[in-house]
Amino acid sequence: MRIMLLLLIAAVVVMPLSNVEAQKAKSIDELAKMFDSSQCKSCHAEIYAQWENSHHARSLMGVQDGLMMTPLAKKGSTPFSPDDPKKATLKTFPCFKCHLPQAVAHAEDSFAVEYAEALLAGDKAKVGKLKITCIVCHNEKAIIHKLSDGYPEKGVLYGSKDIASHPDATFKKVKKSQIMDHAIMCGQCHGLGPNLEFENPVQCATLYGSYEHNYLSKGGQQQCQECHMQKINGKADHLIAPNWNDLEGTKKLLQNAIAMDVQTVGYEWLRKGGDLRPMIVVNTKINQNAGHRIPDG
Amino acid sequence: MTAKAADGKEVFKTERHYHPQATNCKDNKMLYGAQVKTQYIRDTSLQPFETKAESFEIPLPEGVRAVDVTVSLTYEINKPDNKIEIFKVTRKVALDR
């Protein structure tokens, strides 16, 4: 008997899940590796060196290596603190929204446990591995219109123009980001006011609010990048000063940004007939030329 | 700002603090720390396109006819002893011409 068998196999092509939603990081090392940008150094050496000295490259211990989030890991110290670091979750650290945004989308609670333990142990070397790297700005934070433009793609960097073939081994393409040269690129982290999406309010940087409401309203029209990322050797400066650990350099910046006028006079003021009162008057006028309040928060 | 008499004695000293100041809205005590700050209660920071003007009147004690006035503008970073002195102006001011 011959049977003609028509066999139809409809095979579902199983896409490796990691292609769509990558595995989340369970530990500090895993998250650090996921956003590691050290490979950029070989070709973008100057930008890399500027960035390494910037606050973005030490976003969890910016000023004088302070482990500023330690209170959140300490029992009873803040409304967010867990009773035990082992119970820490991503919610323990609302600060990640801006200080380490990659943790919010790409880490598991076990990462927060290790971080809480590192804080309590004062382990600066470990905490120092976590940064706002090149990939955070040039991928993760480069698209804000996610409904209309989609989420940032794997293997693609976003810059100020399209580059069809980018010579990096992982990031083979550069696409134009709509916001790279706009203040809102920075405003994603530099704060509008209180952050009310958390179970308790959190208020840190509010500088972008100051820019939006009190700089533009007075006729100021520059973007953050125009003042903070002026070109050095033709490339946008990634130090993004001020660097508060460089007191001498910052002094110069502040002297350029702020003007102080002092006028003085000494005289005898006549309160009423026969009542002369010796008096010194000091008048000060202070101006600044930034695109927002100084200082912030 | 400080004013000192000829013998070096301080005749007058005052400070102005320019910065946004927040509470947790539960009481009127100012707080530091992003985890507790909730709303600004006052903002004395330097604003763009605005002049911060002060006028200090210093009544002089008996017998003092001249003082050294020092005005110093300093930026404090996270704690008072970590600071940058941006400007310091010292001037002798006398009652007599």
Side-chain angles (χ1 to χ4, degrees), chain A residues 56 137 179-192 205-213 215-216 220-231 236-242 253 289-293 296:
Chain A
H56 298 122
C137 284
I179 58 163
M180 208 40 80
D181 57 356
H182 276 66
I184 196 159
M185 172 68 208
C186 321
Q188 295 178 86
C189 306
H190 278 266
L192 282 161
T206 56
L207 186 144
Y208 182 54
S210 172
Y211 171 87
E212 281 265 284
H213 304 301
Y215 171 69
L216 296 176
Q221 288 298 334
Q222 283 177 286
Q223 307 293 334
C224 322
Q225 290 85 335
E226 290 176 70
C227 296
H228 286 277
M229 299 185 77
Q230 285 177 16
K231 305 242 178 217
D237 183 1
H238 278 64
L239 172 62
I240 316 189
L253 292 176
N289 63 12
H292 42 75
R293 70 162 72 81
D296 183 43

Side-chain angles (χ1 to χ4, degrees), chain A residues 64 202-203 206 214 218 251 255 258 262 267-268 278 280-284 286-288 293-295 297, chain B residues 18 34 37-38 40 43 45-48 50-56 58 60 65 75 85-87 91:
Chain A
Q64 295 186 330
V202 172
Q203 185 177 294
T206 56
N214 202 16
K218 292 170 177 158
K251 180 173 179 159
Q255 284 174 335
I258 295 173
V262 179
Y267 73 118
E268 292 176 70
I280 300 289
V281 177
V282 180
N283 294 326
T284 58
I286 303 174
N287 288 291
Q288 57 105 327
R293 70 162 72 81
I294 300 181
Chain B
Y18 303 129
K37 286 193 293 181
T38 301
Y40 290 138
D43 183 0
S45 60
L46 306 180
Q47 299 294 334
E50 273 179 33
T51 300
K52 188 69 87 179
E54 310 279 0
S55 187
F56 303 96
I58 310 171
L60 292 188
R65 306 289 303 170
Y75 195 112
E85 185 168 71
I86 308 170
F87 299 116
R91 215 169 276 169

Side-chain angles (χ1 to χ4, degrees), chain B residues 5-37:
Chain B
D7 57 5
K9 216 171 90 192
E10 215 166 83
V11 169
F12 186 87
K13 180 175 187 163
T14 189
E15 293 183 345
R16 292 287 183 277
H17 300 257
Y18 303 129
H19 63 134
Q21 302 159 21
T23 73
N24 65 4
C25 296
K26 294 186 180 185
D27 54 37
N28 284 351
K29 293 193 182 75
M30 205 187 108
L31 288 164
Y32 289 121
Q35 61 277 357
V36 285
K37 286 193 293 181

Side-chain angles (χ1 to χ4, degrees), chain A residues 57-79:
Chain A
R58 43 185 154 91
S59 63
L60 299 181
M61 38 198 283
V63 175
Q64 295 186 330
D65 279 355
L67 292 173
M68 43 147 108
M69 281 161 209
T70 310
L72 293 131
K74 246 187 212 149
K75 182 179 175 178
S77 279
T78 79

Side-chain angles (χ1 to χ4, degrees), chain A residues 101-119:
Chain A
Q102 63 267 44
V104 179
H106 302 282
E108 289 186 1
D109 286 336
S110 57
F111 160 81
V113 171
E114 193 189 356
Y115 178 58
E117 289 172 341
L119 286 175

